[in-house]
Amino acid sequence: MYSAKNYINRGLTFLNNQWRPGHKKLSTLMIYGTDLCDSACKHCLIWTKRPVNYLPFEKIKEIMNSRCVTKKTTVGLEGGEFLLHPDAMDIMAWFSKHHPNFDLLTNALKPESVIEAVEKCPPQRLFISVDGDKDSYLHMRGKDGYEGIINVLEKTHKKVPISLMFTLSPYNDFDDMKHVAGVAKKYGIDMRVGVYNDISFFDTIETAHFNDIGSLKSDEIRSYKEAKQLIGEKPEHTTGMMPPPVTKEQLINIRENIPDIIKEFPENFDFLVLYDEWRRGGLNLNCYSILDSLVILPNGDVPICQNLNVMIGNVFTNSLDEVFNGTEAQEKQKHYSKNCNACWINFHRKYDVILYRSFEKYFGQFATRKMLGQYWWEKEKKKSYKQIVRS
């Protein structure tokens, strides 16, 4: 799914951003075009947001003219459900002409819209969210969208690179993961595994990492009224910088439950093994991804990352270059990149894992700690990446 060229380009961006913090470039920019969503997920209540926000087409074009955005910057178009943006097709047509290095993220609940988008304005990659088989999909996402996804795969898997996005959560389990991997293998496409995290923008309710995998799986569908009530009762989103203090001995061993088929999809097996170490408080990595990866919310807010409810600016108030490379942003980026170990979001942590394992492979643990700062893969702080993943 990603070539050596992708990793080389990101490595060069890393070096530039270390040496020139006031002139950083973006490797990845995720544009949340709207918070409107036609799903009804249990693990994400963004579908209840009112009033609905749309990032205007003209503002998106302005953002794309920023100095920190280069032709090598991968742009993700998502939401909510991006295809519900009133200018979705016009925006994709613009990207096809002016910045073809863009991805489309979708729930594919409107399969014909996805197929039309792929045919008229093909993205570099198509990411489709699917979190289990037909029944699990219905009960976790609240809509009967499984067959529509299969329809999209049938008609597009030979036209564009596709990744099935699977989120492991309290609402599904490893059997669901195995099923989705089987679907990906059937169509010869990629699979990306993420884990459920608390993210303010998505109005998550259940405290991630405390409720174990599959512990809340049920055949109930959450109503709009119930979801709004849960949001109203939820405590304010916190911004702690350390992993959740999960020490429960009864937490299942993730490694023992990962289906063998997952090893056929790179960067997923190790991500899950390391997640288990992290959620038990045994893994620590600095967060360098915030120095080259950014998200822009539909109201223009720019958080420092997907996890922390910490804003570095708003694109309706300042330009993206001022927001991303301004003095205040640099101070926050420096602080959080060195001190935050608070999430296991694949948008951030897969990059950090690759960065540290690559340095460790070529320079060893001692030199990597000197160059990137203190880190460890497990609580004894002795094993290398290779040892922890292959043990």
Side-chain angles (χ1 to χ4, degrees):
M1 195 66 175
Y2 293 97
S3 66
K5 183 179 179 181
N6 295 122
Y7 294 117
I8 291 171
N9 287 337
R10 196 157 187 181
L12 293 174
T13 302
F14 171 79
L15 294 175
N16 173 79
N17 293 354
Q18 290 292 303
W19 293 335
R20 307 171 71 220
H23 301 275
K24 294 186 300 299
K25 304 298 182 183
L26 286 167
S27 290
T28 307
L29 174 63
M30 305 304 290
I31 297 177
Y32 290 85
T34 178
D35 47 25
L36 179 62
C37 186
D38 50 357
S39 191
C41 300
K42 293 178 182 176
H43 64 303
C44 166
L45 303 187
I46 192 174
W47 48 280
T48 68
K49 284 186 184 292
R50 299 293 186 275
V52 172
N53 290 295
Y54 300 100
L55 195 62
F57 185 9
E58 290 303 315
K59 177 58 66 173
I60 292 174
K61 287 191 286 186
E62 177 188 312
I63 288 167
M64 292 303 299
N65 285 321
S66 304
R67 292 188 302 275
C68 60
V69 178
T70 74
K71 65 180 181 179
K72 297 177 182 178
T73 302
T74 297
V75 177
L77 302 177
E78 61 175 306
E81 172 55 37
F82 179 80
L83 291 175
L84 295 179
H85 192 294
D87 297 319
M89 290 302 297
D90 289 337
I91 293 170
M92 291 185 65
W94 184 91
F95 271 92
S96 294
K97 181 178 180 180
H98 298 283
H99 193 93
N101 186 21
F102 76 98
D103 301 333
L104 174 64
L105 293 84
T106 179
N107 59 28
L109 284 177
K110 289 184 167 49
E112 295 307 320
S113 295
V114 179
I115 294 167
E116 179 185 8
V118 168
E119 292 178 345
K120 292 183 178 180
C121 315
Q124 289 288 307
R125 305 172 192 85
L126 176 65
F127 293 86
I128 302 176
S129 298
V130 53
D131 297 313
D133 61 18
K134 185 176 175 64
D135 288 338
S136 292
Y137 186 101
L138 172 63
H139 299 140
M140 180 171 171
R141 291 189 158 260
K143 297 291 180 71
D144 188 11
Y146 182 87
E147 295 299 335
I149 289 174
I150 299 301
N151 182 32
V152 171
L153 296 181
E154 289 282 354
K155 295 182 179 179
T156 65
H157 75 281
K158 294 182 179 180
K159 297 179 180 180
V160 64
I162 299 176
S163 279
L164 297 183
M165 301 293 289
F166 176 88
T167 300
L168 185 64
S169 76
Y171 306 102
N172 57 7
D173 55 29
F174 293 96
D175 287 337
D176 293 312
M177 181 190 293
K178 182 178 180 180
H179 175 85
V180 174
V183 173
K185 188 173 181 180
K186 174 183 177 181
Y187 289 98
I189 60 178
D190 182 45
M191 177 183 180
R192 301 281 93 185
V193 176
V195 295
Y196 171 76
N197 284 265
D198 299 314
I199 301 177
S200 178
F201 174 65
F202 293 116
D203 286 331
T204 52
I205 293 299
E206 305 297 344
T207 303
H209 321 301
F210 283 87
N211 296 288
D212 214 347
I213 308 303
S215 62
L216 300 176
K217 186 174 181 178
S218 72
D219 59 2
E220 298 176 356
I221 294 176
R222 186 164 283 167
S223 69
Y224 179 86
K225 181 179 179 180
E226 178 190 3
K228 292 296 287 186
Q229 181 178 346
L230 288 170
I231 293 173
E233 296 171 351
K234 182 184 177 182
E236 185 176 349
H237 186 84
T238 60
T239 57
M241 292 186 288
M242 298 304 293
V246 178
T247 57
K248 298 178 182 178
E249 292 300 324
Q250 64 266 35
L251 282 178
I252 65 171
N253 185 306
I254 287 179
R255 185 189 199 113
E256 293 178 354
N257 287 275
I258 302 173
D260 287 339
I261 193 174
I262 295 301
K263 295 179 181 179
E264 300 180 32
F265 300 91
E267 298 174 11
N268 288 309
F269 177 79
D270 57 344
F271 184 73
L272 292 171
V273 169
L274 296 174
Y275 168 58
D276 203 33
E277 292 289 340
W278 174 83
R279 70 175 185 155
R280 296 174 190 274
L283 180 149
N284 184 81
L285 298 177
N286 287 339
C287 187
Y288 285 103
S289 66
I290 63 173
L291 302 180
D292 83 335
S293 300
L294 205 64
V295 301
I296 300 176
L297 305 184
N299 66 355
D301 280 344
V302 182
I304 195 167
C305 70
Q306 283 193 335
N307 184 63
L308 297 175
N309 196 26
V310 175
M311 302 300 158
I312 58 174
N314 186 291
V315 295
F316 288 107
T317 304
N318 298 97
S319 70
L320 181 61
D321 289 312
E322 292 169 335
V323 170
F324 183 53
N325 282 321
T327 302
E328 183 179 350
Q330 290 182 55
E331 292 174 355
K332 288 182 179 180
Q333 289 158 349
K334 182 178 180 181
H335 173 70
Y336 284 100
S337 68
K338 298 293 185 181
N339 297 286
C340 190
N341 187 40
C343 81
W344 203 253
I345 296 175
N346 56 353
F347 181 68
H348 296 290
R349 293 319 239 170
K350 285 193 175 182
Y351 170 72
D352 294 320
V353 168
I354 292 169
L355 180 68
Y356 274 93
R357 82 180 187 195
S358 298
F359 270 75
E360 186 180 274
K361 177 180 178 180
Y362 293 106
F363 304 110
Q365 289 177 295
F366 179 79
T368 299
R369 289 190 172 107
K370 288 293 184 181
M371 291 184 284
L372 299 181
Q374 286 294 321
Y375 76 100
W376 48 89
W377 302 110
E378 40 75 39
K379 63 181 179 181
E380 299 298 328
K381 306 179 183 180
K382 296 179 180 179
K383 292 182 179 179
S384 67
Y385 166 86
K386 185 176 181 179
Q387 290 172 322
I388 193 70
V389 171
R390 297 186 179 181
S391 61

